[in-house]
Amino acid sequence: MTTVRRRVALTATLIGALAASILPTATAAHAAGPGCRTVESAPLDQEQARTADPRTAALTERGGFGDFVARFPAALCTTRNAAEAGRLLDAWGGALWRAGVDRAQGRRVGGDLPTADDRPLYWARVAMTVRLARWQPGFTVDPVALRQRFEDASRGLADGGFSGRPGVRRIFVSGFDPFGLDAEPRRANPSGSAALQLDGRRITLTDGTPAEIRSVLFPVRYGDFDLGMVERAYAPRLARGPRAADLITTISQGYPGLFTLEAWAGRSRSADPYPDNVGALSGGTRDHPVTAPGLGPGAEFIATSLPTGPMTAVQQPYPVLLNTTVTEIPAGGTAPVDREDGPTPGSRAVAGGGGGYLSNEVAYRTNRLRLELAPQLPGGHLHTPVLTGLPEQSELLTGPAFEQNEVAITGEVLDVLRHTAG
């Protein structure tokens, strides 16, 4: 009977998060009980520390995710052991992801920010990890493992796969969180917005074939890549079977004013001194590139196998170009060389078309895995234009130009994916 009551309590707290009109089952008094306390002085990473900016909380509230953040600590305090805590983080992370997808696709009402805005989900997730970092249960837990379970679930990694319906083409994509937030905490990422708008969506390709899209969102953090998040996301979609993907493409924000399909992904990191969202550096520079930890065997450069001809036929409202540039250290050389026509035999990768940052690395990791598990599948990387248009007044979170640009970019992502027919 006790086990049943605990399961009921877990379910009730999850339902409370999903329905804004229902008060949380776990009250503040319960949260303050023995064995569950909050330590406000718990150390935070650089990404979490940005939640001190009131604009981040405003983005969460105005996106309709305030209840998730407010009720999360009380929900944590309903757990009695590490196993229950893990299941609760799976459930709350999954609920947050589904709420983000539902909001982006117009099925969830809340707040006054546009549904296409990816920032409310991002800042809600970060704020919830702050609450998780400050939670001090009365039993032993592995904080790193619990954080990973919540991150995976809240980014779509634990979500259901393709439906497996015969005759339906299956497209798997990924986007990224906002980044560069020290300079401008209001920034969004159109690749993340696109991923939320596309997850579970049914479309018709240009040849009339029905297609189903599934998506995930990645953090802009080297550490998560080092621990295999990309491979955890993509490996199940590359396994053989009726629920495996027929095409994969990673998506990120790239260059001003245009889309680019990257012809080459490079094996190296070389982005320093540009940091990730927690202030970490890659350890590699243009003159001294490094190989990312955890990479399996693979070539220095991997070529895209996407149908770049049809995809670059899309030219409105932004041009879509095939980018064949790379940076390499030629065989026998020591200095980096920029090339417009791809790598030369025997060279060392410095940067792919997507540079030496995580945009390039997500393309390399996924396509290295594709070549290992499903080499016949098309795969590659799409860079979106930079999302511009934020108001000059720093207190304003959105504006007409920003919203129009986001809609234009994410709409064209869908159009480019429609041209992957065949």
Side-chain angles (χ1 to χ4, degrees):
M1 182 64 73
T2 301
T3 301
V4 172
R5 283 198 295 269
R6 289 175 187 168
R7 288 176 179 170
V8 169
L10 288 171
T11 303
T13 55
L14 178 57
I15 292 172
L18 292 171
S21 61
I22 301 175
L23 292 174
T25 301
T27 64
H30 181 88
C36 182
R37 64 192 183 99
T38 296
V39 177
E40 294 296 324
S41 61
L44 303 178
D45 63 36
Q46 187 170 322
E47 189 170 32
Q48 293 168 325
R50 294 190 189 100
T51 58
D53 189 320
R55 290 172 293 182
T56 69
L59 284 165
T60 300
E61 291 289 341
R62 291 181 58 185
F65 289 101
D67 284 337
F68 274 93
V69 178
R71 293 170 176 166
F72 189 47
L76 288 170
C77 286
T78 65
T79 61
R80 299 292 191 269
N81 53 57
E84 278 192 7
R87 289 193 295 271
L88 183 133
L89 288 167
D90 291 341
W92 276 70
L96 182 62
W97 170 253
R98 290 189 294 275
V101 169
D102 286 345
R103 183 181 186 279
Q105 298 182 21
R107 294 187 296 271
R108 176 184 171 88
V109 179
D112 63 347
L113 291 176
T115 58
D117 201 327
D118 65 309
R119 298 172 298 172
L121 173 62
Y122 170 73
W123 286 112
R125 183 192 299 111
V126 175
M128 290 171 76
T129 68
V130 170
R131 273 60 175 182
L132 181 60
R134 290 172 174 167
W135 176 52
Q136 297 289 312
F139 48 86
T140 301
V141 296
D142 181 343
V144 175
L146 289 182
R147 168 81 179 265
Q148 179 177 297
R149 290 180 71 160
F150 177 72
E151 291 275 355
D152 281 8
S154 66
R155 295 178 176 280
L157 274 71
D159 209 16
F162 294 102
S163 64
R165 292 178 57 191
V168 177
R169 190 166 171 81
R170 299 175 294 275
I171 300 173
F172 190 68
V173 305
S174 59
F176 271 105
D177 288 347
F179 62 97
L181 299 168
D182 285 331
E184 176 51 88
R186 297 177 297 164
R187 281 182 176 149
N189 192 324
S191 73
S193 175
L196 291 171
Q197 292 180 61
L198 293 173
D199 187 57
R201 188 161 175 177
R202 299 285 178 83
I203 65 172
T204 301
L205 304 183
T206 52
D207 66 352
T209 303
E212 177 184 356
I213 304 174
R214 287 289 178 180
S215 63
V216 293
L217 266 177
F218 288 128
V220 184
R221 298 190 298 250
Y222 287 112
D224 295 81
F225 277 49
D226 294 346
L227 295 175
M229 179 179 276
V230 173
E231 288 78 5
R232 289 200 307 276
Y234 273 84
R237 278 76 180 188
L238 293 171
R240 294 182 182 275
R243 297 180 185 274
D246 295 311
L247 178 145
I248 64 169
T249 185
T250 49
I251 308 172
S252 66
Q253 182 176 232
Y255 309 101
L258 76 161
F259 281 83
T260 54
L261 282 166
E262 304 306 335
W264 298 95
R267 187 172 174 82
S268 297
R269 291 176 176 173
S270 57
D272 293 355
Y274 193 82
D276 69 5
N277 272 354
V278 293
L281 297 174
S282 71
T285 66
R286 176 181 167 89
D287 292 322
H288 298 285
V290 299
T291 300
L295 276 182
E300 286 294 306
F301 290 96
I302 297 177
T304 184
S305 58
L306 290 172
T308 56
M311 294 171 78
T312 54
V314 180
Q315 293 292 309
Q316 294 294 332
Y318 299 94
V320 182
L321 306 180
L322 178 63
N323 180 21
T324 59
T325 62
V326 299
T327 303
E328 65 175 14
I329 298 176
T334 58
V337 175
D338 296 325
R339 295 189 59 87
E340 297 290 332
D341 54 352
T344 57
S347 66
R348 167 78 191 278
V350 176
Y357 195 49
L358 290 169
S359 289
N360 169 77
E361 186 170 326
V362 75
Y364 186 89
R365 284 182 179 269
T366 54
N367 284 282
R368 192 212 66 81
L369 192 65
R370 175 183 61 80
L371 291 174
E372 178 182 306
L373 301 178
Q376 76 285 357
L377 259 63
H381 186 81
L382 175 68
H383 262 125
T384 76
V386 174
L387 177 56
T388 59
L390 281 169
E392 292 184 4
Q393 302 94 319
S394 62
E395 72 278 9
L396 298 181
L397 302 182
T398 188
F402 175 78
E403 295 172 13
Q404 291 164 11
N405 292 341
E406 186 165 47
V407 169
I409 292 171
T410 57
E412 191 166 348
V413 169
L414 179 57
D415 197 18
V416 170
L417 292 178
R418 286 196 180 100
H419 282 73
T420 59

